[in-house]
Amino acid sequence: MLTVDQISRRNELGGSSRGRVWMPYLIKALLLGVGAFFLSVGLWGQTSDSSSSSSAASSSAASSSATSSSSSSAPESWTATRGSQDGSVNPTRTVESHVRSGNRTVDKQTVERLGENGNYEPYQVIEKESVQVNGSTVRTTTRTFGLGSGERTLVQETEEEKQSLPGGDMKVVRATSNPDGNGNLQVVQREIEETKKIGADVTETKTTVMLPGIDGGLAPATRIEERAKRSGDTVETKTTTLLPDGEGNWQVGEVRHSTVKQDGENGSREEVVSRPDADGKLEEESRTVSKESGGGAEKRETVESYSADVPGTPRDGSLHLVQRETTAQQGSGDGRQTTKQQVEQVDPGDPGAGVRVSVVATDAVRTGSSGAQATQTVEMRDANGSTGVIRVDTAKSDNVKAVRVEIGPVEKAK
């Protein structure tokens, strides 16, 4: 099971495939909540931020409170419980806890499923510990355990060290290890991320991903070069993913151009993804256009995705609208907040008809002095055109900030 921060890191650091933009939305819903907004317990938002300074302009708000949580000395703790039922698989329940004391923060997530005796039984535990080593270094260890047959077994361990350097530079080293047949940890992936400020409004980030090579040792497998430039309320970013060509050289595998603009309470983001064709010439594969308006308790966002690949039709050299997500958020003075998202997609059986509603999700959150409660209902359209509830998630916590619904993913220019 991938953690939220692993999923959000550009689909494993640039890995992609044609047609990704219109992947059936139900899969996204089951993994991440529902698309661009989420009903979530803020477990991972209270720990170390694994994003670089330049990537922060395009990362989820879930990790924005990391540094302040780690550095504050005031003790803090909370617990939260989420339940999920979709009618087709075994119901699950997630119990999460957060404890911060001094320079140490410990988060624990226990995933439980309904057993044969009708009681919930734990089957996965994720523990994350962050330590503020000094004023410039945060060290984070994440361990995932499986609980097969009641025994706790380490499945994966990730160690990360993040250093803030003079002049606004930053360096992150992240190593992921899996146990071998004898139970000894072996490093299976290492990432080195270096961010440098090369001007008042320009940053460059270079990331190298190392994977086991033929000889068993780690070798560079992917390089990502990102340059972000801020001009007023606009941030322009170019991200280039490089892959080895097998002859000791690097070749371009993908280029992403994004522009984020902010005008008061209105924001927009456009991203164009290009990949080389058979002749090595860069070709536009997809374009995503996001617009956000409103502020405070009322927000609205529309995200339109265009792709060269349309389900059910061959390529014609143009980009076509394949998905539209519309999200509206409303709040009230009594602690209630409602967020509704509608997803329209192309029907592979009738691609010429354009996009039509395929998923509707509604989140309702109520906060009070004793904590917060939230419910998310996901409805999906079937092959006959009828809409029915396929999933219901619930969450409650003794901390108001731990249960939240957020509208996204338009980033604010920084």
Side-chain angles (χ1 to χ4, degrees), residues 319-397:
L319 299 182
H320 301 272
L321 178 66
V322 294
Q323 181 170 289
R324 180 187 294 119
E325 302 175 25
T326 304
T327 308
Q329 178 176 295
Q330 290 184 325
S332 60
D334 59 358
R336 298 183 183 183
Q337 180 176 296
T338 301
T339 304
K340 184 174 183 179
Q341 184 182 50
Q342 176 177 282
V343 180
E344 302 168 80
Q345 290 180 308
V346 171
D347 181 1
D350 188 13
V355 295
R356 65 176 186 176
V357 177
S358 58
V359 177
V360 176
T362 304
D363 281 16
V365 178
R366 175 179 292 182
T367 60
S369 59
S370 60
Q373 294 184 351
T375 302
Q376 180 190 73
T377 303
V378 182
E379 301 173 85
M380 189 172 184
R381 183 174 181 173
D382 60 23
N384 298 320
S386 301
T387 301
V389 176
I390 62 166
R391 175 170 174 162
V392 177
D393 289 345
T394 59
K396 61 180 180 179
S397 175

Side-chain angles (χ1 to χ4, degrees), residues 59-72:
S59 65
S60 167
S63 62
S64 62
S65 61
T67 304
S68 60
S69 294
S70 299
S71 59
S72 176

Side-chain angles (χ1 to χ4, degrees), residues 24 27 38 41 46 61 84 263 272 362 368 380:
I27 298 177
F38 58 91
V41 178
Q46 304 293 329
S84 178
D263 182 11
V272 177
T362 304
M380 189 172 184

